[in-house]
Amino acid sequence: MSQLFKPSMNTLARVSLSCALIVPGALVVGLSSITRSPYNTKVEVPLDQPVPFSHTHHADELGIDCRYCHSSVEKSGFAGIPPSHTCMSCHSQIWTNSPLLEPVRESYEKDIPLVWNRVNKVPDFVYFDHSIHIAKGVNCNVCHGPVQKMQMTWKGKPFFMSWCLDCHRDPGKYIRPKDEVFGLFRKYQESSKGANLTGSEYSLMATAHYKPSKEDQARGRKLVQEYGIKVETLSDCYICHR
Amino acid sequence: MDRESINRMFTRRRLQRLAGLLSLALVAGCHTDMWIQPKAKPLQQSDFFADGAASRPPVANTVAQGQLRTDDHLYTGIVAKKYVDEFPFAIAKQDIERGQDRFNIYCSPCHGALGDGKGMIAQRGLALRAQPATYHTERLRKMPVGYFFDVITHGHGAMFSYAQRVDPDDRWKIVSYIRALQLSQHSALEDLTAEEQGQIDEKPVGIGIAAAAGDTHAGTNGAAAGGHTEGGSKH
């Protein structure tokens, strides 16, 4: 009877053993980096829209307050996308012949909703509310990236649960005085693209990665007390999954 | 191993089972059931209703609980077919400040931070069919407050209605701020107390929009409006 395992089988065994370790590892790393890549999360990928609406133009160059269009952001969970009535309150008077605005005019005249493509989204099993975040001094750009610099709107953050929790466990890191939620946009606009902003203000207004300075974090932790934020319960599951 | 034993190991049956198991593992990653639930969020699309929107407009003449608007003074600014000349509630300093805040969001793009009709739109839109109004005319200084409330609610000429975006209370507060603006642009130095005159050259303290180029105004500003400055430059 011939030998069942030839000596060359040793190598084969070693190779297959190490493969058994490497392949699942590579799969996990590979799949999770696909999950976290812009390909999956769509972060920093500008989305096509029926009308090439530019936040750079309207929010920064023209200095229109976010609430002019997203008027429910302070008082409800939903920030709101402006109806074509809002666009027409200006565009019935200016740029009235622009072909780019044809869908807006049509929507307004025929009273059919304009369908924008959604940029930011959490799954349906997650509960999110804008008003509480605005009321506690979280600037829009902490969660959305530098909106007032976007020609076409893109997603600033992937909205992973770990990201929400990073702030909910220690909100002091990110929160700022309430009047800065909208005040900073004005400051950025008036300071010719951020020349007079502090380093951390600049990182918030002009980049997708807010880097609060030590002083800002210390101030934020004081604000947490002042605003009466209950940090102990803020990362309980029921806060976001209800 | 001979060929036959290999064949026995990988029968068609077994292969099918394996493939089934593997694809189950794949499907486990596609959990759309909870991610996309059969519920409607605001402004969501829907193929169920004819207009394609999931949110339903209320039936005509619906009155939401607690929103039966019987108070004509508060909700229309018109009583007995005449514009009212009194505010429906007492206006305190923080009401004027709230009015300033709302004014800067919704009105200043056209009417300008000082209410002089020189907002960004007026400066950008070179060929506007109708120029935004300035509040600093004799006619508008004499208009009762109810008129301003009505214009915000229903629009006027080229101006659209702002009723959807500004609640009635806030509309009155905006009107109170318009009154403050009118006073600030129509007062003489002598109208101020000596103490206030001394403050004129101090920096304005309000949070308001700093006046854009071309928005500068000579004369007194906020101090006349009950110690309430708006952020225009002084001279």
Side-chain angles (χ1 to χ4, degrees), chain B residues 185-222:
Chain B
Q185 302 299 309
H186 193 64
S187 329
L189 198 57
E190 299 83 66
D191 295 343
L192 303 181
T193 64
E195 194 201 333
E196 283 166 345
Q197 288 190 17
Q199 291 171 351
I200 280 187
D201 282 332
E202 283 172 22
K203 279 200 141 182
V205 293
I207 45 155
I209 305 178
D215 252 13
T216 37
H217 268 254
T220 60
N221 65 11

Side-chain angles (χ1 to χ4, degrees), chain B residues 68-203:
Chain B
L68 183 60
R69 298 186 161 181
T70 48
D71 186 345
D72 282 350
H73 191 159
L74 179 61
Y75 292 111
T76 65
I78 300 172
V79 170
K81 297 206 173 127
K82 278 182 117 164
Y83 294 122
V84 293
D85 206 5
E86 267 159 30
F87 287 93
F89 47 87
I91 298 286
K93 185 166 178 235
Q94 64 264 34
D95 295 325
I96 304 185
E97 273 163 6
R98 170 79 181 169
Q100 176 185 37
D101 186 44
R102 298 293 110 175
F103 179 90
N104 286 342
I105 299 168
Y106 297 108
C107 319
S108 71
C110 288
H111 292 287
L114 294 174
D116 53 8
K118 297 209 181 92
M120 161 277 294
I121 290 296
Q123 289 170 17
R124 285 272 184 156
L126 297 175
L128 283 191
R129 275 177 253 149
Q131 285 294 329
T134 163
Y135 306 141
H136 311 301
T137 62
E138 211 44 46
R139 182 179 76 92
L140 285 181
R141 273 192 289 265
K142 291 216 177 86
M143 272 297 177
V145 289
Y147 176 73
F148 294 91
F149 183 89
D150 188 59
V151 169
I152 304 175
T153 311
H154 297 295
H156 180 81
M159 174 179 154
F160 276 35
S161 158
Y162 281 77
Q164 281 176 343
R165 277 177 279 166
V166 190
D167 294 338
D169 281 15
D170 283 343
R171 277 176 242 161
W172 285 112
K173 290 172 190 170
I174 290 180
V175 176
S176 77
Y177 182 64
I178 291 178
R179 279 290 192 240
L181 281 177
Q182 288 180 327
L183 193 57
S184 77
Q185 302 299 309
H186 193 64
S187 329
L189 198 57
E190 299 83 66
D191 295 343
L192 303 181
T193 64
E195 194 201 333
E196 283 166 345
Q197 288 190 17
Q199 291 171 351
I200 280 187
D201 282 332
E202 283 172 22
K203 279 200 141 182

